[in-house]
Amino acid sequence: MSDKILELSHLAKKFGENEVLKDINLTVNRGEVISIIGSSGSGKSTMLRCINLLEEPTDGKIYFKGQDIQSKECKITEYRSKVGMVFQSFNLFNNMTALENCIRPQVTVLKRKRADAEKIAREFIEKVGMSAYVNARPSQLSGGQKQRIAIARALSMNPEVILFDEPTSALDPEMVGEVLAVMRDLSTTGLTMMVVTHEMQFAREVSTRVVFMDSGVILEDTVPEEIFTNPKEARTREFLTRILGTN
């Protein structure tokens, strides 16, 4: 039996006349860590936003464990608690402490008792190394700290998949490492992860698969070793040469 958790079938997205995604077909299996790479504007973030229904696909289907997520039977809030998202701009509530940011969604969406939600929140805040900051508000935290709280918040919902949309691109270089370290740890827990990233070392060392996108299509989808040492497409070679500065 297949352990398929997400499937994109002929997914397309247009903004006006601009076709951002063209006939995307992708299967994600449970426990995979998939890095999605490519130039800005290649459709990577739009694909993630469609998976989470933050953008409505123009065409095609998205299935979560075999269920069409746009069908009437699929409850969107329930689905989003199973398929969490970590944004490049953190999206924390500025008027709440780090702890409250991780408690509130559990109580609101999952209807957990507050005491249970707090216990779970504290556990994941500790997991991302932020226990000392439970009572801090986002304005008192660095970018890397905010992103670690955002990851703890996503984990507190016990998701089956987490989508990371360029989680380190808004961070100062010295803070990138602390967030990637948390993500590296997560990748060993069996959590299914889809990561839009410019961090090639992470993509190479942590991913089970790397997807290269260009102009709204998936050009390559293979194991990291293959894509980094023997890319099939000229466009992939060109991109990696530019990013990695190699010939």
Side-chain angles (χ1 to χ4, degrees):
M1 186 182 144
S2 141
D3 223 3
K4 188 164 32 176
I5 193 162
L6 272 173
E7 185 182 5
L8 315 186
S9 175
H10 303 293
L11 187 69
K13 177 63 184 173
K14 278 184 175 179
F15 293 105
E17 289 304 298
N18 184 14
E19 206 175 357
V20 182
L21 294 176
K22 306 164 192 167
D23 197 30
I24 297 281
N25 294 290
L26 183 71
T27 297
V28 180
N29 296 308
R30 195 178 291 281
E32 286 193 294
V33 177
I34 299 178
S35 286
I36 302 148
I37 63 172
S39 303
S40 296
S42 58
K44 309 181 301 294
S45 292
T46 302
M47 181 171 79
L48 282 202
R49 291 174 70 82
C50 284
I51 292 173
N52 214 29
L53 288 184
L54 292 168
E55 297 290 355
E56 192 146 335
T58 309
D59 205 357
K61 299 278 187 196
I62 300 168
Y63 299 96
F64 174 64
K65 299 203 290 195
Q67 184 183 34
D68 176 355
I69 66 166
Q70 288 179 286
S71 67
K72 288 189 173 67
E73 294 74 53
C74 184
K75 295 184 178 66
I76 186 70
T77 0
E78 208 171 284
Y79 167 69
R80 283 198 184 129
S81 72
K82 297 277 177 229
V83 180
M85 189 147 182
V86 172
F87 300 86
Q88 114 186 36
S89 54
F90 327 123
N91 286 22
L92 296 175
F93 295 110
N94 290 321
N95 60 338
M96 294 181 193
T97 63
L99 182 61
E100 192 59 37
N101 262 286
C102 297
I103 291 173
R104 186 64 60 91
Q106 299 182 63
V107 172
T108 314
V109 177
L110 302 179
K111 307 294 182 233
R112 279 186 182 144
K113 291 194 177 78
R114 191 178 165 87
D116 295 341
E118 181 169 339
K119 184 171 179 285
I120 290 164
R122 284 183 184 277
E123 191 182 303
F124 286 114
I125 288 171
E126 185 178 342
K127 192 178 176 70
V128 300
M130 287 293 291
S131 290
Y133 299 92
V134 283
N135 296 316
R137 290 181 188 269
S139 60
Q140 299 167 301
L141 300 175
S142 71
Q145 290 169 334
K146 284 184 214 177
Q147 195 58 292
R148 284 191 280 161
I149 290 299
I151 293 171
R153 176 181 61 184
L155 290 169
S156 295
M157 302 295 281
N158 298 115
E160 296 185 46
V161 181
I162 296 192
L163 312 172
F164 292 86
D165 187 12
E166 301 198 22
T168 58
S169 66
L171 304 181
D172 293 337
E174 66 269 25
M175 289 168 190
V176 169
E178 66 189 48
V179 172
L180 290 179
V182 168
M183 292 171 65
R184 250 171 223 274
D185 285 350
L186 281 182
S187 73
T188 64
T189 65
L191 178 68
T192 309
M193 296 163 60
M194 291 182 78
V195 187
V196 169
T197 186
H198 293 292
E199 302 294 332
M200 294 301 132
Q201 194 177 349
F202 176 88
R204 187 170 194 156
E205 292 172 3
V206 180
S207 314
T208 51
R209 270 163 67 197
V210 178
V211 167
F212 173 70
M213 290 183 71
D214 186 57
S215 304
V217 298
I218 290 176
L219 278 190
E220 301 207 36
D221 175 0
T222 184
V223 294
E225 189 56 27
E226 184 73 22
I227 210 161
F228 284 105
T229 58
N230 189 24
K232 301 230 173 334
E233 300 287 334
R235 187 66 195 90
T236 319
R237 285 196 292 277
E238 195 183 301
F239 170 79
L240 290 172
T241 301
R242 197 177 73 243
I243 293 281
L244 301 170
T246 53
N247 292 314

